[in-house]
Amino acid sequence: MSSVQLLVVAEDEGEMRLDRWLRRRFPQLTQGAVEKLCRTGQVRLDGGRVKAADRVAPGQAVRVPPLPDGPPPEPDGAPRILSADARMIQDGVIFMDQHMIVLNKPPGLPSQGGSGQGERHVDGLTGALTFGYKDRPKLVHRLDKDTSGVLMLARTDRVARGLSEALRHRAARKIYWAVVAGVPNPKQGSIKFALMKAPGPGRGGGGEKRMSIPPAKLADPPEAKRAQTDYFTLWFLGSRLSWMALEPVTGRTHQLRAHMAEIGHPIIGDGKYGGSAAENAGDGWGAGIGGEFSRKLHLHARSLAIEHPVTKEVLTFTAPLPDHMARTWATLDWKEGDVPADPFASIR
């Protein structure tokens, strides 16, 4: 339960209805609760009684009574969201304005539902991200279940179209951080193997993978799609493992994982593309490094730069490392500030 608060209306909140202003500030409130607080005089504007439909003006003071803690209400038809999940997804917000929301997606949480993904995923938790809006925000791209990092959602259909268009035309720049087995040679370059679906070992081909196709043989399997990943070795430990910056020039499913495995340097913790934990086609190290290191996938969408679809300002979003990767960085004494935020800038 919170205490009494006296909040000042910001410049960009002028002419907003009081009920919408309150629900944006306090997403746990239902519309009925807001109307009751106004009707009983518990919410006041510049000391006076007010109706839910009244509009606020910049500089006005809104008295807010003690409010209960809790998750935001669930939009009609949305799945029930447990309070722990609501807090988890809200804690992941690293940017929000009236047009878009940017999350730091935790590892292990799928972006969307689907075969084998279960019922708990980002798309199913967007009811906790309405923050006073009537409609739930919409995913405009995805990350693999075990990949963490920057994930964008649009708060309106118009913004969703704008962000999707920017991603489709490669007007956004994504940089991933990964730990891979061995040390690539050369330490900087591009991987241009095409990718195509390959059936997995599961029943009916479940657990499908992406197979790499050399550029010269691209025409042989017509279903293969061109793919390019630029890579830059930021730091390395002897010949055993490397801290990599990876930039997907194209955006194919499992692209980074399949490409790094193809050149003999699978991403640490990648059970699908990493082969055995003890060996690979590179320099003798596999996707498991043992010791104090986590067995989880070490792949993180570190940053994303994109033009805001409304303001046209170029924004760069950066996501902190997940706990298991932060522990690896601490064990190896790697410091995030010791490497350039965009190592590819000097070669463009």
Side-chain angles (χ1 to χ4, degrees), residues 191 193 195 210-214 256-266 273 281:
I191 306 166
F193 283 83
L195 297 173
R210 292 307 187 265
M211 179 188 304
S212 295
I213 307 295
L256 303 182
R257 298 164 63 185
H259 272 174
M260 294 312 297
E262 177 63 30
I263 66 171
H265 301 285
Y273 293 93

Side-chain angles (χ1 to χ4, degrees), residues 72-299:
E74 298 153 17
D76 293 340
R80 180 173 180 268
I81 301 174
L82 300 177
S83 59
D85 284 339
R87 287 195 297 271
M88 176 272 295
I89 203 71
Q90 290 172 358
D91 287 346
V93 174
I94 56 178
F95 174 86
M96 180 175 67
D97 65 10
Q98 65 193 86
H99 307 291
M100 57 192 292
I101 294 173
V102 181
L103 294 177
N104 181 11
K105 186 188 83 66
L109 182 68
S111 297
Q112 291 179 301
S115 177
Q117 298 292 2
E119 297 180 355
R120 185 172 176 267
H121 45 79
V122 174
D123 195 39
L125 297 176
T126 53
L129 299 173
T130 54
F131 298 115
Y133 276 44
K134 178 182 177 181
D135 298 323
R136 297 189 296 158
K138 304 162 182 63
L139 282 169
V140 294
H141 64 126
R142 296 183 298 174
L143 292 176
D144 288 347
K145 174 182 176 181
D146 294 320
T147 302
S148 56
V150 178
L151 186 66
M152 294 189 300
L153 300 94
R155 305 189 75 179
T156 66
D157 290 337
R158 181 168 70 96
V159 170
R161 289 192 294 270
L163 292 174
S164 298
E165 192 78 5
L167 291 167
R168 187 163 50 250
H169 290 90
R170 303 176 192 172
R173 294 199 53 223
K174 305 175 188 176
I175 296 178
Y176 289 70
W177 279 359
V179 182
V180 306
V183 182
N185 183 25
K187 294 185 175 63
Q188 172 186 327
S190 293
I191 306 166
K192 297 181 179 179
F193 283 83
L195 297 173
M196 62 176 288
K197 288 184 180 180
R203 187 175 181 179
E208 69 179 21
K209 300 173 63 173
R210 292 307 187 265
M211 179 188 304
S212 295
I213 307 295
K217 296 184 178 181
L218 178 62
D220 293 344
E223 64 271 31
K225 297 181 178 179
R226 297 182 184 275
Q228 179 180 338
T229 299
D230 293 344
Y231 69 87
F232 193 104
T233 306
L234 296 169
W235 210 264
F236 56 91
L237 179 66
S239 62
R240 189 175 186 188
L241 52 85
S242 301
W243 171 7
M244 306 296 300
L246 307 174
E247 182 176 7
V249 179
T250 53
R252 309 301 183 195
T253 301
H254 294 180
Q255 176 177 315
L256 303 182
R257 298 164 63 185
H259 272 174
M260 294 312 297
E262 177 63 30
I263 66 171
H265 301 285
I267 296 172
I268 298 301
D270 193 343
K272 184 181 288 283
Y273 293 93
S276 73
E279 60 183 334
N280 64 64
D283 55 11
W285 293 99
I289 48 180
E292 299 295 322
F293 301 96
S294 170
R295 294 184 180 181
K296 293 181 179 179
L297 183 69
H298 282 57
L299 179 61

